[in-house]
Amino acid sequence: MSEAAEYDIAKVLKALPHRYPMLLVDRVKALKVDEEIHAVKAVSFNEAFFQGHFPGRPIMPGVLQIEALAQAAGILAVETLELAGSGKLVYFMAIEEAKFRSPVEPGCLLDLQAGFVQKRARVCKFWGKASVEGKVTCEVNFTAMIADAPAD
């Protein structure tokens, strides 16, 4: 990805409303507006889900891999559609063709790649692929809706 932007955790926090324990993007290695994003999640044994999934054989739940991909895609959507500071949120609408290829264990760096399949003002479709050291762990297509945050 040429001319791609990188984000440290401070910029990630500005782009996403998620916070601990649900923030699953630690850094953006490359973001090309209108096209795709490459982000990373450092998978640590200290994460709460490892206590129960599974004792003696800790594995990152597949749904959290999909959530991490969706958060990366959310950053892509926020930047592409210029939503930063607008109060808009990116909500899941559909998850399709999810495939889990390999377990994700503590101590690895989970690469998150996502891109647009279709882009409209209020609904976007994405592809996503997670991997560890080049080995695919999860592939998915998903749809998200751009919406106003709920009123307090």
Side-chain angles (χ1 to χ4, degrees), residues 101-152:
R101 306 286 188 200
S102 181
V104 175
E105 299 173 330
C108 71
L109 196 60
L110 186 64
D111 280 298
L112 308 166
Q113 294 177 293
F116 287 108
V117 172
Q118 183 179 56
K119 179 179 43 187
R120 296 195 176 142
R122 296 190 51 87
V123 176
C124 298
K125 291 186 178 187
F126 301 93
W127 59 267
K129 180 173 74 171
S131 62
V132 174
E133 295 179 0
K135 186 174 184 178
V136 175
T137 62
C138 173
E139 296 175 286
V140 66
N141 292 318
F142 52 94
T143 305
M145 172 179 69
I146 313 302
D148 293 324
D152 291 336

Side-chain angles (χ1 to χ4, degrees), residues 76-104:
L76 176 62
V78 163
E79 294 302 323
T80 297
L81 301 173
E82 300 178 350
L83 300 174
S86 70
K88 302 277 187 191
L89 296 176
V90 182
Y91 291 122
F92 262 136
M93 289 178 65
I95 300 170
E96 301 169 19
E97 301 176 36
K99 296 177 181 131
F100 302 100
R101 306 286 188 200
S102 181
V104 175

Side-chain angles (χ1 to χ4, degrees), residues 16-19 21-25 41 60-75 90-92 95 100 110 112 130 138 140 142:
L16 288 177
H18 304 77
R19 295 297 180 263
M22 283 307 298
L23 180 64
L24 299 175
V25 173
K41 161 74 175 138
M60 183 179 187
V63 295
L64 293 181
Q65 291 181 58
I66 293 173
E67 175 64 24
L69 287 164
Q71 288 181 22
I75 294 170
V90 182
Y91 291 122
F92 262 136
I95 300 170
F100 302 100
L110 186 64
L112 308 166
C138 173
V140 66
F142 52 94

